[in-house]
Amino acid sequence: MGTQNSYIQEWERLFAEHRSYLISFAFRMTGSLSEAEDIVQDVFIECAEVNPTSIQNPKSWLTKVCSNKALDHLKLAYKKRETYPGTWLPDAVPDSFQIWGNLANNDSPDKNILLSQSLTTSFLLLIEKLTPEERVVYLLNEVFEYPFKDIAEVLKKSEEACRKIAERARKAVLSGRSKFVPQPVGAEKVIAQFFDLAKQGNSAGLMNLLAEGSEFWSDGGGKVAAVRDVVTDTARIAEFFKGVWTSKFFKGDDYKVEYQMVNLLPGVVISRKSEDGWVFETIMSFEIQDGKIVRIYSQRNPDKLNVLTKIQ
């Protein structure tokens, strides 16, 4: 028993060092913060049975265990998402929660961009189209730069097989990468102007801020009001925001809007006053190009928002 306790103590130290990384990896795999935390907790439980001194590279070993658990989890999660009510969106996580740790880590500028993009809602939706194996291979090789030798050990496949999986995944991701654009300086001003116009009921002004073919995604989880399908009509998007922000619900002091980065994109956190204090009502992220809004992601599912309330 004493030996196992010493294992736990050493693993607690190692987990403190690598937990942010493991959470960010599992989140990229699942798109769910609660699922990522459950996976990482399961990794820790498994660690308690292993002598840490027998492992040469704890980070690689932890990644291997986390990858396998995420793969097992995804095989079940896909079945649930087939029956998900309405549009499924990954969790929206304000950057103020600092869950991801230091993304830069002295890497090259291109590497930092890839690390940031791989946490955005657009990227998480894109890799949702990959099989679980393709997703783990792509993330480990392209995002975290693991060699195929290590990836082969994770999947219990040959290096050549893993390279072929990586090639398929890379082609699928590159076909959708045109969506990713660097977010401009002053994006917050564009978002603030958008909400000001919505409050004024200015449909024409709203449409002028929306790019042609802009998209509005909303996830209510079947529990709160949300647009059921992705909206790509600028007039409909403008009328929706005009209708919401000129309604009686946003009169008075029961709601507050805070501009924050969300999943490393400019966004807003809308909170509602309750008996227990402020609770998250909606969290949005925006993608902006040439001064126009090209994409709005709105997370309203209370189950997903409550996860953030618990870790505040």
Side-chain angles (χ1 to χ4, degrees):
M1 186 70 177
T3 301
Q4 190 176 32
N5 284 338
S6 67
Y7 291 174
I8 293 174
Q9 289 175 359
E10 178 61 13
W11 277 120
E12 285 177 343
R13 183 188 70 79
L14 290 169
F15 250 72
E17 181 180 348
H18 299 300
R19 187 176 185 277
S20 291
Y21 156 74
L22 292 171
I23 289 287
S24 72
F25 172 75
F27 179 76
R28 287 174 173 93
M29 283 289 291
T30 63
S32 166
L33 185 56
S34 62
E35 292 171 7
E37 290 184 325
D38 288 345
I39 288 168
V40 172
Q41 181 60 32
D42 287 345
V43 173
F44 180 76
I45 292 171
E46 184 165 327
C47 289
E49 304 297 326
V50 179
N51 183 349
T53 62
S54 67
I55 297 170
Q56 291 184 341
N57 188 327
K59 183 179 180 181
S60 293
W61 188 84
L62 288 167
T63 300
K64 178 181 178 180
V65 177
C66 191
S67 298
N68 281 311
K69 292 190 178 297
L71 280 169
D72 291 340
H73 174 85
L74 279 179
K75 291 169 184 176
L76 297 174
Y78 279 160
K79 294 179 181 178
K80 293 181 181 178
R81 288 174 193 173
E82 288 176 357
T83 58
Y84 192 84
T87 300
W88 179 89
L89 283 177
D91 287 12
V93 184
D95 290 5
S96 58
F97 281 74
Q98 297 181 335
I99 291 166
W100 319 126
N102 181 16
L103 286 175
N105 199 29
N106 297 318
D107 286 307
S108 68
D110 287 345
K111 177 64 175 175
N112 292 337
I113 290 171
L114 180 58
L115 283 167
S116 297
Q117 285 183 344
S118 65
L119 283 169
T120 63
T121 299
S122 285
F123 180 88
L124 295 172
L125 285 170
L126 178 58
I127 63 170
E128 186 75 9
K129 299 175 183 177
L130 304 180
T131 67
E133 281 192 346
E134 288 172 344
R135 193 183 305 196
V136 74
V137 171
Y138 183 85
L139 288 174
L140 288 178
N141 182 247
E142 290 286 324
V143 178
F144 295 104
E145 299 182 320
Y146 276 81
F148 284 110
K149 179 182 177 182
D150 292 350
I151 298 172
E153 291 180 7
V154 171
L155 295 181
K156 296 181 173 60
K157 293 179 179 289
S158 68
E159 289 185 46
E160 182 59 28
C162 291
R163 289 180 189 277
K164 289 180 180 179
I165 294 171
E167 185 177 355
R168 290 199 304 270
R170 196 178 300 115
K171 286 180 179 178
V173 171
L174 286 174
S175 68
R177 285 297 289 275
S178 60
K179 287 187 174 184
F180 298 112
V181 292
Q183 293 309 289
V185 176
E188 182 179 312
K189 292 182 179 179
V190 176
I191 298 169
Q193 184 182 3
F194 184 79
F195 282 106
D196 284 343
L197 290 167
K199 291 175 185 176
Q200 296 166 19
N202 188 337
S203 299
L206 289 170
M207 289 182 64
N208 188 52
L209 273 185
L210 293 165
E212 185 178 350
S214 56
E215 301 172 3
F216 175 43
W217 299 59
S218 184
D219 180 350
K223 299 189 175 184
V224 296
V227 293
R228 186 168 182 84
D229 299 308
V230 180
V231 181
T232 57
D233 182 286
T234 55
R236 283 185 60 198
I237 297 172
E239 286 304 310
F240 175 86
F241 279 89
K242 170 187 170 182
V244 170
W245 285 89
T246 56
S247 70
K248 63 180 181 181
F249 296 105
F250 285 94
K251 307 297 182 184
D253 300 321
D254 289 338
Y255 287 87
K256 65 178 179 179
V257 179
E258 300 170 282
Y259 297 95
Q260 290 192 38
M261 296 293 285
V262 175
N263 289 28
L264 301 178
L265 286 173
V268 296
V269 176
I270 302 172
S271 303
R272 172 175 49 82
K273 188 182 293 184
S274 71
E275 294 179 355
D276 300 320
W278 292 98
V279 296
F280 295 124
E281 177 75 11
T282 305
I283 300 179
M284 297 183 185
S285 63
F286 293 75
E287 293 182 8
I288 298 167
Q289 188 172 15
D290 299 328
K292 303 276 189 178
I293 296 170
V294 297
R295 217 158 280 111
I296 305 172
Y297 295 112
S298 175
Q299 183 54 260
R300 304 203 67 236
N301 186 333
D303 292 340
K304 298 180 181 183
L305 298 177
N306 287 341
V307 173
L308 295 171
T309 302
K310 292 175 183 176
I311 63 175
Q312 270 188 309

